[in-house]
Amino acid sequence: MTHSIAKKVTARISVILIIALSVLFTASYFLVRDIISKNLKEQNEAMVTIYSDLVTEEAFSKDAAFDENFAENILARGDYICQMFKIDFAYLFVPLEEPGKIQYVCVSQNKKFDAYNPNDKFINKIENYTLTEDEIAVWNGEKDISTSITQSKSGYEVSTMVRVQDPLGNYCMAGVDQSYNGMNREIGVLLAIISLTILLVIGLVNLCVYLIMRRSVSAPAQKVCRVMNEFLTDGERSDVKLEVEGDDEFAMISSAFNSMSADISDYLANISRLTHEQEQQDAQLDISARIQRGFLKDTYFEANRCVIHADMIPAKHIAGDLYDYLQIDNSRFLTVIADVSGKGVAASIFMAVTLMLIREFAKMNLSPAEILSKVNDTLSENNPSLLFLTAIVGIYDSDKKTYTYANAGHNLPYILSSKVTPLAGEQNVLLGLFPGEVFTENTVKLETGDTLFLYTDGVNEAVNADKQFFGTGRLEAALQEFITAKKENPVDFVNRKVADFVGDAERHDDITMLCFSPAETEHLVLEAEEPAFETLKNKILSLPIPRKEQLNLCLAAEEIFMNICAYSYPEQSRKGQVRVLIALSNRVTLRFTDTGIPFNPTRDPINPDEYDVDTQIGGLGRFIAFNQVDDAKYEYKNGKNILTLTKYII
Amino acid sequence: MTITKSNENGKITLSLDGWLDTAAAPALGAEVEAIEAADEIILDFDKVEYMSSSGLRQVVAAHRKAKELGAEFTVCRVHNEIMSIFALTGLDKKLNVTEA
């Protein structure tokens, strides 16, 4: 809830004025009363002087004493004075010896006085009256005059006295009394009229203040508010403007608001444009990244007689690293790993070109050294940006069980057997800068059970939050741990180690790894029906591995195969097929592929503790199967259920 | 696989020989189903080298049959490899299984 400034100001002014007025009223009341009583006193003193002069003059002119005759004589003249000067009483008295008693000589009265009684002349009448200190002082001649003012409900009573003397030397007190009834009421009425008038004036002034405030403060403020709200609701509208009127503060605010709103509108428009551009750029980068990812082969591949695991994790959207492999002919298999200097779009283009060149040259039956040499010459010919790359190109010959490789300035790979061995050999110069370079190559023997591990420097140069490198020490330790643990594959294993090491720190370089293991592979295509398992069973039983391992694998294979037969193709009329890959290296890999309904058997296997032998039937098969092998991995890809079981042969 | 059945005064012994796999399981199922009365049913696993979950299911079916007939049920002379499957599935605790 808001309150108008005009109302607030008016209300405050009213309160202040009313308080001021109350103070003023009270002060005026007392001041006026004071002035009036002072005037009364002066007036009464003048009256008593006149009366006493009259008395003294009368006494001395007639040589008379203050006796009854004198009283009769002076009485009528006193009455006259009372009447003329609007005095209530004029009197002469003598204080008696007895305290509190006086004896009047005579008392003149005003005929208009309420209590006037023409017969009551008070001559020689004794009354009760106690003189005030002042009056005693006057009687004793210590003071000339005394005036006492007593307040009554309706006003004042003023008595003024002096001492007079007759020719005989007798003293007498002469006094006049005046009462001023109704004075308080009169003052009150007068002040009330004044106050009401002032209140009326205040009201009018306040009304004016309110109207002026409303016109020149509240209304413009509300307008500014409304326009600002309008702007807030639709900030992109550049036509939301305040009219600039006059040269007051509101004109300044309006002017400032107008330039601010214009700035904000521009700013928003800019942000919107930049966001749009950024979105477009991101979309482009996404597309680039997808295209680049498309260049790369699958992260897992079974070649004729070797098994490949690889992975590339870009630091940013798009990478400068690459891995590749290619079955050149029945016995020869090409592997490539490379790292382009720099990252981003330029590096990715350079990477794509290099990839295409290597694939093309590989198909021309060239040796790894020749491939590198040709790629180097082609890249160096036209490389204005002076990009370059390091690479290892190798060819595995499954007949000879040899790996021949040429290294262009790349990190030395490792051979993983029972231990981790760096693969020695000349590193040569990197690619892309020096045409005509000759590359040397080396050949090593790779036995079944060995694994060749290639990587880019993104692995050993991965940095954690404490600015430490992962380093080749940790890499070799991880690889050794992998050999001992006999779990999954070295690529995933090292990837996890690096990820754990780096934590939340920003990644600076692409991480690429490729490993391949010579393997005996066999592909079976089986009908998804129970009897077909016999073929798979015989193949497993013919593998050159211990009987115990054969039986474990056979059990796993049977459970999985029967599972597929039972559930993958529910429509009886359309029995499908199951493709089974059997690969033997330092492990046995069984890969089941079917095109049936998607089903992940690794999810929610049964809990044997909750298995009720009396009511439940089946459900234990998958659980048994996964317990016979070291690793089970499921993926659904291109409409296929792919389940890979791995058992390490120790 | 071959199944030899012997009956000594209501003590029925089924001696199994070979692989109790998916292919062989129905035969065991049929043999068990055919039992009409027994005081005790014994499955002799001495010559069983291999058992899959379908074989295991028939063992469970035999257990239920015995319960139905009010007979004792024993799986005897189970070799290590097969025992590990009984143990894995927790059935070694739920059924009367004895080692070789």
Side-chain angles (χ1 to χ4, degrees):
Chain A
M1 172 130 184
T2 56
H3 295 278
S4 156
I5 293 176
K7 281 183 193 164
K8 275 188 197 170
V9 169
T10 314
R12 279 170 201 181
I13 290 178
S14 301
V15 168
I16 292 168
L17 286 177
I18 286 168
I19 291 171
L21 191 66
S22 306
V23 172
L24 198 67
F25 181 92
T26 316
S28 306
Y29 177 78
F30 287 107
L31 192 68
V32 167
R33 250 175 45 162
D34 197 43
I35 290 169
I36 288 176
S37 65
K38 201 177 159 195
N39 282 341
L40 285 176
K41 189 182 167 205
E42 281 172 5
Q43 199 185 349
N44 233 35
E45 283 172 3
M47 291 306 117
V48 89
T49 310
I50 290 171
Y51 181 64
S52 68
D53 283 355
L54 173 79
V55 169
T56 315
E57 198 179 302
E58 182 71 21
F60 279 90
S61 65
K62 301 270 173 66
D63 209 11
F66 295 146
D67 54 13
E68 279 176 44
N69 292 332
F70 182 79
E72 287 289 350
N73 211 6
I74 202 80
L75 201 62
R77 298 174 67 177
D79 283 358
Y80 176 74
I81 287 176
C82 285
Q83 212 156 314
M84 205 167 89
F85 295 106
K86 290 179 182 164
I87 296 164
D88 296 337
F89 301 100
Y91 45 86
L92 290 173
F93 71 91
V94 179
L96 298 179
E97 292 289 312
E98 191 184 347
K101 299 275 183 192
I102 57 165
Q103 185 174 16
Y104 283 107
V105 178
C106 69
V107 176
S108 302
Q109 299 176 52
N110 186 338
K111 285 175 185 165
K112 285 183 182 167
F113 184 60
D114 295 344
Y116 174 70
N117 183 356
N119 300 322
D120 193 358
K121 293 172 180 167
F122 287 87
I123 294 170
N124 287 338
K125 192 173 182 183
I126 295 171
E127 286 275 313
N128 292 328
Y129 179 76
T130 307
L131 269 68
T132 65
E133 280 181 19
D134 262 9
E135 285 161 359
I136 292 169
V138 170
W139 179 246
N140 292 336
E142 293 158 5
K143 220 179 150 192
D144 291 337
I145 194 162
S146 90
T147 302
S148 67
I149 300 176
T150 47
Q151 276 198 46
S152 69
K153 253 187 194 172
S154 53
Y156 291 102
E157 282 180 13
V158 188
S159 298
T160 309
M161 298 179 194
V162 293
R163 195 177 66 163
V164 290
Q165 198 181 18
D166 62 14
L168 302 178
N170 298 318
Y171 288 108
C172 190
M173 290 290 275
V176 292
D177 281 8
Q178 242 187 127
S179 66
Y180 298 91
N181 292 331
M183 188 193 75
N184 280 1
R185 192 166 50 81
E186 277 166 29
I187 297 173
V189 168
L190 179 71
L191 287 179
I193 290 169
I194 294 172
S195 303
L196 277 175
T197 314
I198 294 176
L199 266 179
L200 200 66
V201 171
I202 288 172
L204 280 172
V205 167
N206 264 346
L207 185 66
C208 293
V209 167
Y210 173 71
L211 290 176
I212 293 168
M213 287 288 288
R214 200 176 68 169
R215 199 180 125 75
S216 54
V217 179
S218 291
Q222 280 166 6
K223 191 178 162 193
V224 168
C225 241
R226 184 170 45 72
V227 175
M228 280 180 175
N229 277 329
E230 212 175 295
F231 180 76
L232 281 180
T233 334
D234 189 4
E236 282 174 47
R237 273 182 59 187
S238 52
D239 60 335
V240 177
K241 288 260 180 276
L242 275 169
E243 284 170 44
V244 183
E245 288 167 1
D247 55 359
D248 61 5
E249 286 84 349
F250 279 104
M252 283 161 66
I253 289 177
S254 301
S255 164
F257 169 78
N258 285 345
S259 61
M260 184 195 74
S261 68
D263 282 355
I264 290 177
S265 291
D266 283 355
Y267 185 64
L268 286 177
N270 259 335
I271 287 180
S272 152
R273 185 173 51 76
L274 286 175
T275 311
H276 184 64
E277 280 175 12
Q278 187 63 47
E279 276 168 5
Q280 279 191 330
Q281 275 182 10
D282 285 352
Q284 297 281 351
L285 281 175
D286 268 348
I287 293 168
S288 308
R290 247 181 294 157
I291 291 172
Q292 189 184 38
R293 195 78 218 176
F295 286 143
L296 295 178
K297 299 271 175 70
D298 284 349
T299 55
Y300 177 77
F301 182 73
E302 303 101 14
N304 266 358
R305 286 158 79 188
C306 67
V307 179
I308 295 275
H309 284 282
D311 201 8
M312 195 268 283
I313 301 167
K316 304 259 155 54
H317 260 287
I318 42 184
D321 277 10
L322 73 88
Y323 69 83
D324 199 27
Y325 48 80
L326 185 68
Q327 189 82 53
I328 301 170
D329 55 34
N330 259 343
S331 60
R332 290 190 304 153
F333 187 77
L334 174 85
T335 65
V336 182
I337 192 157
D339 181 358
V340 178
S341 63
K343 287 172 282 293
V345 180
S348 76
I349 293 171
F350 208 65
M351 168 229 161
V353 170
T354 307
L355 190 60
M356 295 308 150
L357 287 174
I358 293 174
R359 283 182 191 170
E360 284 311 306
F361 291 131
K363 284 177 194 161
M364 290 160 68
N365 262 338
L366 300 177
S367 74
E370 288 168 328
I371 292 172
L372 282 188
S373 169
K374 291 263 187 199
V375 170
N376 182 45
D377 288 350
T378 316
L379 289 177
S380 313
E381 260 172 37
N382 203 348
N383 181 9
S385 307
L386 293 179
L387 286 165
F388 58 88
L389 72 145
T390 67
I392 292 177
V393 171
I395 293 174
Y396 173 66
D397 188 322
S398 56
D399 288 342
K400 297 179 192 157
K401 297 208 166 180
T402 56
Y403 182 67
T404 303
Y405 62 98
N407 186 345
H410 200 82
N411 315 45
L412 295 177
Y414 292 101
I415 291 180
L416 316 179
S417 48
S418 59
K419 60 186 197 310
V420 181
T421 318
L423 190 57
E426 281 177 71
Q427 275 185 281
N428 299 309
V429 76
L430 35 79
L431 303 176
L433 297 179
F434 312 106
E437 242 356 274
V438 177
F439 292 84
T440 56
E441 59 187 29
N442 296 79
T443 300
V444 288
K445 195 92 174 145
L446 278 187
E447 300 293 345
T448 303
D450 289 345
T451 297
L452 187 73
F453 180 84
L454 300 138
Y455 67 102
T456 60
D457 58 11
V459 177
N460 52 317
E461 287 174 13
V463 179
N464 67 7
D466 298 332
K467 308 272 177 222
Q468 287 176 310
F469 285 114
F470 187 68
T472 49
R474 282 193 185 81
L475 174 59
E476 286 170 19
L479 291 171
Q480 188 59 55
E481 197 184 327
F482 162 76
I483 291 169
T484 316
K486 293 282 181 202
K487 279 285 173 191
E488 54 190 357
N489 63 73
V491 172
D492 289 347
F493 190 80
V494 172
N495 250 341
R496 219 177 45 242
K497 287 277 171 191
V498 172
D500 288 349
F501 176 78
V502 171
D504 292 332
E506 196 191 348
R507 288 174 180 265
H508 295 284
D509 204 357
D510 313 327
I511 291 179
T512 306
M513 285 174 271
L514 179 143
C515 74
F516 83 94
S517 316
E520 304 299 331
T521 57
E522 187 129 25
H523 291 270
L524 299 177
V525 179
L526 305 170
E527 293 301 315
E529 285 169 357
E530 272 182 35
F533 178 67
E534 198 66 18
T535 316
L536 177 55
K537 174 178 154 185
N538 290 335
K539 283 288 174 201
I540 293 171
L541 292 179
S542 69
L543 288 173
I545 56 171
R547 176 73 173 172
K548 185 176 176 302
E549 256 97 41
Q550 286 180 347
L551 291 177
N552 287 341
L553 281 167
C554 204
L555 182 51
E558 182 183 331
E559 300 296 352
I560 296 304
F561 189 82
M562 296 308 170
N563 212 46
I564 293 171
C565 292
Y567 303 114
S568 242
Y569 301 100
E571 290 172 55
Q572 292 291 324
S573 56
R574 283 178 52 233
K575 277 290 177 195
Q577 289 181 325
V578 187
R579 302 172 71 87
V580 186
L581 166 96
I582 308 169
L584 171 70
S585 54
N586 61 346
R587 77 199 75 170
V588 176
T589 304
L590 292 177
R591 171 173 282 203
F592 296 85
T593 307
D594 70 81
T595 55
I597 52 171
F599 176 69
N600 181 356
T602 60
R603 247 176 53 187
D604 312 323
I606 198 163
N607 179 0
D609 291 339
E610 291 167 8
Y611 187 77
D612 183 355
V613 282
D614 291 325
T615 56
Q616 238 167 316
I617 297 173
L620 290 171
R622 288 185 279 135
F623 180 71
I624 294 172
F626 297 140
N627 270 283
Q628 308 305 311
V629 294
D630 294 313
D631 190 37
K633 203 182 264 177
Y634 169 83
E635 57 183 335
Y636 188 76
K637 211 168 157 187
N638 303 328
K640 291 171 188 165
N641 289 303
I642 303 170
L643 179 68
T644 310
L645 304 180
T646 309
K647 185 164 184 69
Y648 294 92
I649 308 303
I650 302 152
Chain B
M1 94 178 299
T2 55
I3 304 171
T4 316
K5 182 178 174 184
S6 71
N7 191 340
E8 293 171 34
N9 303 325
K11 178 181 169 184
I12 296 174
T13 306
L14 297 176
S15 303
L16 313 181
D17 185 352
W19 281 33
L20 184 54
D21 56 8
T22 308
L28 175 59
E31 281 291 349
V32 169
E33 202 51 45
I35 299 171
E36 283 173 355
D39 294 330
E40 191 176 358
I41 297 175
I42 298 166
L43 296 184
D44 185 349
F45 263 54
D46 189 31
K47 287 177 181 164
V48 177
E49 188 192 15
Y50 176 103
M51 178 178 70
S52 71
S53 66
S54 43
L56 196 62
R57 269 201 295 280
Q58 294 308 331
V59 175
V60 173
H63 156 80
R64 281 186 205 164
K65 180 75 179 181
K67 209 173 173 183
E68 194 183 305
L69 297 174
E72 295 281 308
F73 179 73
T74 313
V75 184
C76 71
R77 301 211 279 177
V78 181
H79 290 280
N80 270 349
E81 296 302 311
I82 307 296
M83 199 61 188
S84 71
I85 291 168
F86 277 113
L88 181 68
T89 54
L91 290 179
D92 59 336
K93 291 185 193 75
K94 289 170 183 164
L95 304 178
N96 185 15
V97 184
T98 58
E99 286 180 65

